[in-house]
Amino acid sequence: MDSRLEAVRDTVLARNPGEKEFHQAVIEVFESLGPVHDRHPEFLEGAVLERLCEPERQIIFRVPWTDDAGRVHVNRGFRVEFNSALGPYKGGLRFHPSVYLGIVKFLGFEQIFKNALTGMPIGGGKGGSDFDPRGRSDAEIMRFCQSFMTELYRHIGEYTDVPAGDIGVGGREIGYLFGQYKRITNRYESGVLTGKGISWGGSLVRPEATGYGTVIFAQEMLKTRGQSFDGQRVVVSGSGNVAIHAIAKAQSLGATVVACSDSAGYIVDEAGIDVALLSQVKEVERGRLTDYAARRPGSNHVVGGSVWDVTGTVALPCATQNELDGDAAAKLVSNGLIAVAEGANMPSTRSAVSVFQEAGILFGPGKAANAGGVATSALEMQQNASRDSWSFEHTEQRLTEIMVGIHDRCAATADEYGAPGNYVVGANIGGFVKVADAMLAQGLI
Ligand code: NDP
Ligand code: 2IT
């Protein structure tokens, strides 16, 4: 790392003790930014990095709720409003027991650069709760969402902060959150949340957008080597929103997706994952991958182990942070991998990224490759602002243009800074310069 940035890094780490995922995300970005500071001494003089690493506002709140038996539970709610240089804070809400401030800050920090790369007018933020939705009834989920919004509503708004989904938060939760926001404020403020249902202000393609976008980004990377998805053998992790639509898109481009996973294990389906069955099991029935294996002849469910043991030419990690480590990366490489695109946020550890890059694997980092979700959220905001709704084809076309644009900007930025083919450098510098310029233009903020 550039020595001028080391002191800033040390201060950030010391000021935020114990937040190891936030540290990891900060270090990964700083490692790319030395050359930018050679060309832009004004970023150092203006202490842009010091400011960028300190969220504009952090909100932590109590979320009390009752289960179906009348028992009281207390969870912790978070919203980190990280940076509004380019637009209102924008980013998802995650409901998962592992959520704490360090996770929300890593996600919010990544979101700043991702959102800048989309070219849309959106700042960066993230939120969530350590609430565990697993095994909870619809009524319990609703009561939790209503309690969560009873505090959150005073901090958000279409011009202020616009949450959406992430792990554990999908269309059902956005519905309950929107209903409670409307009830408290007495405003039908469509643009306050994205990922809404189609009949009440949502955008077509938003559910598919992250997974589709990840595959479109990977396809653009493959094209630079004269290849495509056609005939590739793809391994996916996760089996939630991002994974399911990544699988569907990859198969529509001629690939065979042979494996996907959840937190209990993985399935191998040599004939190619049956997306309709996977969606029925995971999205409609909210079941487990064992249910898929039981209903799909020829598929196997493997308990424990790692989905990355399965041989593939393209890997799409679409579950969670740090799910793919250096050993898994080495195994994938030795099994013939040619490309990785991150549907999840920071799924590859730093040593995994080094293994991929040293082996010359095409590697698309999450802040570029999974930006299609938030970009389509921005398209939803655009439709809400004009009280319009676009067709699936038009919206998908916009998503495709945005993803191709992100790919090309990352590639061009990497070339410009002497790191051809390095999408990590391209994404970090491309996102950073846009935000840094806007921050300087807006004075000391
Ligand atoms: P979902 O809740 O729909 O699905 C999450 C999937 O990941 C599930 O299969 C889940 O398994 C698995 N998973 C979650 N946590 C863990 C864990 N600790 N260990 C192993 N498996 C785990 O979430 P999404 O599909 O929306 O999100 C997946 C990833 O994509 C996240 O990193 C998210 O930040 C990122 N992302 C999401 C976007 C979106 O638009 N939704 C946009 C951009 C990025 P199980 O059910 O067993 O817990
Ligand atoms: O990580 C992400 O980009 C998301 N979870 C989507 C955020 C959004 O506002 O659509």
Side-chain angles (χ1 to χ4, degrees), residues 78-93:
F78 301 88
R79 188 72 185 166
V80 173
E81 297 180 334
F82 227 118
N83 193 292
S84 62
L86 298 180
Y89 311 106
K90 182 83 195 87
L93 298 170

Side-chain angles (χ1 to χ4, degrees), residues 75-76 78 93-100 103-104 107 127-134 144 148 166-169 263 319-321:
N75 284 98
R76 192 168 283 175
F78 301 88
L93 298 170
R94 177 178 292 191
F95 292 169
H96 192 270
S98 62
V99 168
Y100 76 108
I103 293 272
V104 181
L107 290 164
S129 175
D130 58 0
F131 172 68
D132 187 355
R134 184 164 317 162
F144 178 81
F148 186 85
D166 193 83
I167 291 176
V169 178
S263 55
T320 194
Q321 64 279 347

Side-chain angles (χ1 to χ4, degrees), residues 214-215 217-219 221 229 314-318 339-344 347 362-366 369:
T214 300
V215 170
F217 190 93
Q219 174 93 333
M221 293 199 299
F229 261 97
V314 176
L316 304 174
C318 297
V340 182
E342 294 186 326
L362 292 163
F363 178 75

Side-chain angles (χ1 to χ4, degrees), residues 94 134 166 168 206 210 239-242 263 288 318-319 344-345:
R94 177 178 292 191
R134 184 164 317 162
D166 193 83
R206 178 63 191 88
T210 310
S239 49
N241 170 270
V242 179
S263 55
R288 310 299 300 163
C318 297
N345 286 304

